[in-house]
Amino acid sequence: MTADFAPSDASRPHVARVYDYLLGGKDNFAADRAVGDRMLASLPAVQLGVRAQRDVLGRVVRYLVGEVGLRQLLDIGSGLPTADNVHEIAQRIDPATRVVYLDNDPIVLSHAEALLADDPSAFVVDGDLRDPAGILANPGVRKRLDWEQPIGLLMCGILHYVLDEEHPAEVVATLYHALPSGSYVFIHHLLAIEDPAAAVLQEQMRAGLGRAQFRTMNQVRALFDGLKLVEPGLVIVPDWRPEPPAIRDHPVLEMACVGVARKP
Ligand SMILES: C[S@@+](CC[C@H](N)C(=O)[O-])C[C@H]1O[C@@H](n2cnc3c(N)ncnc32)[C@H](O)[C@@H]1O
């Protein structure tokens, strides 16, 4: 594949690179570290939160591939490659599992292309969640996945970057409509809760990254409209099918919820 993505601007912070910095990665620039440092200064436990996010993503992939038996995943807002990527977890269960990563960050795309160059079952495509019709029409998305068979749609840590005025409910409904029956959807979403630390985090993400829209549990539940949540339903991150050893009772872990649902 060729890297024909737009050149990235290192002077502006990007979501994926700030997240990479908080995860202890090296694919970030000074502007990203400055935003990450401000988040760490006001909420030192934020790194625990991002690690918990990666952990629950892993649990969900193992559930979808290992228990439900899905063999194709579409990961929207995949982020920079890091330890235990979705395709690595899935392919440990079945090497033939197809994974399509989609992101709108040019650095994510070029790193993922390099990582996946020799992998016959994992691919990366350029796309924007706010343009679901564009995603569904993307030849990479159409060609790499079998739209007659159930698909696992992963939206981990991305919907809180889709603002209310960008109509997240319509965005997800367009995607859900296209999914074959028996498909599954995973959402991880930052929560609007009483804890003042959540409001501070949201403000810092807005100031540093230009956008953030935390939502209540009920607002996130509404994003599963038309689907059936599987057990244990929509819960805070550490409560979704926990695996020992796990840190389960830190306040930062109450700032995000997760749910997995099936399309009837
Ligand atoms: C916080 S990272 C999450 C990475 C990974 N899903 C995880 O949970 O570990 C969010 C990712 O979503 C991407 N992103 C944000 N808004 C997006 C959009 N509208 N369309 C596509 N990707 C987007 C960012 O570039 C970033 O890579």
Side-chain angles (χ1 to χ4, degrees):
M1 274 189 276
T2 53
D4 56 355
F5 309 120
S8 185
D9 180 359
S11 66
R12 283 187 19 236
H14 278 239
V15 173
R17 300 190 309 236
V18 173
Y19 186 70
D20 174 74
Y21 175 59
L22 293 173
L23 279 169
K26 298 202 174 351
D27 299 314
N28 47 74
F29 298 116
D32 310 304
R33 294 191 284 275
V35 173
D37 285 338
R38 281 198 292 279
M39 290 164 74
L40 281 167
S42 61
L43 186 62
V46 71
Q47 283 174 307
L48 189 59
V50 296
R51 283 197 202 108
Q53 179 172 333
R54 289 301 298 181
D55 284 351
V56 75
L57 174 61
R59 298 200 295 280
V60 168
V61 171
R62 284 193 291 277
Y63 168 73
L64 293 178
V65 180
E67 290 189 43
V68 176
L70 298 185
R71 288 296 176 267
Q72 39 179 9
L73 303 172
L74 173 58
D75 183 2
I76 299 186
S78 50
L80 277 160
T82 180
D84 251 357
N85 293 294
V86 164
H87 74 286
E88 293 163 328
I89 300 171
Q91 291 176 359
R92 277 202 291 273
I93 300 167
D94 182 347
T97 309
R98 294 173 87 76
V99 176
V100 174
Y101 291 116
L102 183 143
D103 208 286
N104 67 356
D105 184 327
I107 291 225
V108 168
L109 299 166
S110 56
H111 280 238
E113 274 204 336
L115 178 80
L116 304 175
D118 298 325
D119 191 317
S121 303
F123 314 91
V124 60
V125 298
D126 185 6
D128 195 302
L129 178 56
R130 294 164 298 174
D131 175 21
I135 292 177
L136 295 169
N138 184 309
V141 173
R142 293 238 60 88
K143 187 171 64 179
R144 308 292 191 192
L145 299 172
D146 177 353
W147 288 81
E148 303 290 317
Q149 297 298 322
I151 292 170
L153 171 62
L154 313 177
M155 293 182 285
C156 186
I158 181 171
L159 274 163
H160 42 250
Y161 298 110
V162 179
L163 307 178
D164 284 347
E165 55 268 36
E166 294 168 330
H167 311 295
E170 289 169 29
V171 164
V172 294
T174 303
L175 294 173
Y176 299 169
H177 182 70
L179 288 175
S181 166
S183 292
Y184 283 72
V185 173
F186 165 52
I187 293 175
H188 165 291
H189 202 298
L190 290 172
L191 280 172
I193 52 172
E194 303 252 320
D195 187 339
V200 170
L201 184 64
Q202 178 175 242
E203 268 326 297
Q204 288 194 338
M205 287 168 65
R206 282 183 178 160
L209 300 169
R211 54 174 57 236
Q213 175 91 60
F214 292 13
R215 297 190 168 89
T216 64
M217 206 74 137
N218 278 340
Q219 288 170 325
V220 179
R221 189 171 286 106
L223 295 174
F224 285 102
D225 191 36
L227 309 177
K228 192 166 176 356
L229 279 161
V230 302
E231 286 298 321
L234 184 65
V235 293
I236 58 168
V237 170
D239 289 350
W240 200 89
R241 298 178 184 239
E243 292 169 3
I247 302 170
R248 297 195 56 184
D249 57 358
H250 191 287
V252 79
L253 301 176
E254 295 178 14
M255 289 189 193
C257 66
V258 285
V260 174
R262 183 178 186 277
K263 177 170 172 174

